[in-house]
Amino acid sequence: MSIQTKQKIPTGTYVADPVHSSIGFAAIHNGVSTFRGGFRSYEARLIGGEEPQLEGSVDVTSLDIPDEQLKGHLLSPEFFDVQRYPEIRFSSTELEIGEDGVVRVRGELEIGGQTHEVEANGRFGQLGADLANSARVGLSLETTVDRRSFGLDWQAKLPSGGEVLGYEVTISVELELVKEAE
């Protein structure tokens, strides 16, 4: 991506508004549809200024899917192994915003004790002040990772051929962040 003219995130520290933010994931299921899930409990912090930084964590036990049996399977050692790895973490190493609001973020993503560099793309939005007169910014980011690189390699073969779950997982992060009081 070519970002020729950059804009800056205003100086300050911004934290995720959990009512207006979400973190989700999607993977192909049975080769015919997209399975989606998310997390209810997470934290995200964006530090603005000359060298902006984004960091966050997800409480894996807050996995939000509509089936309790499947949730138990995903939290087990076959997937997230929540007893050993209760958090997913991200810390940016580079964050660029084009004048048009296009964002590119690189950073370290840690899932299941495995850390890998990822790149996410999306958009940035800025609001001078909300109804409570607090400054807000928004980040919409998306990246796709191979879950096997994070040790999430469970798989089952379908009787008709093929595999139950795709290895590529799309992670979507929608953040509305409010500036902390100084």
Side-chain angles (χ1 to χ4, degrees), residues 26-132:
I28 300 299
H29 184 256
N30 286 333
V32 296
S33 67
T34 302
F35 171 78
R36 298 181 193 282
F39 298 94
R40 291 184 316 275
S41 181
Y42 49 86
E43 294 181 0
R45 176 184 318 279
L46 176 65
I47 299 167
E50 292 297 318
E51 294 187 33
Q53 220 175 7
L54 176 65
E55 56 187 38
S57 62
V58 169
D59 174 0
V60 180
T61 63
S62 74
L63 179 66
D64 189 19
I65 58 171
D67 183 278
E68 285 301 312
Q69 184 175 354
L70 178 56
K71 179 178 178 177
H73 184 222
L74 293 176
L75 295 177
S76 80
E78 287 188 312
F79 273 94
F80 287 113
D81 197 358
V82 71
Q83 293 298 322
R84 291 177 53 202
Y85 307 107
E87 281 190 332
I88 295 171
R89 294 185 186 106
F90 177 80
S91 182
S92 69
T93 55
E94 184 179 342
L95 192 155
E96 293 181 340
I97 304 169
E99 196 61 41
D100 59 358
V102 173
V103 177
R104 182 177 63 86
V105 178
R106 283 189 169 174
E108 301 292 321
L109 178 62
E110 179 187 339
I111 301 174
Q114 304 286 323
T115 302
H116 296 284
E117 183 175 79
V118 298
E119 182 174 311
N121 297 293
R123 62 181 172 74
F124 171 78
Q126 180 178 339
L127 174 66
D130 61 14
L131 292 174

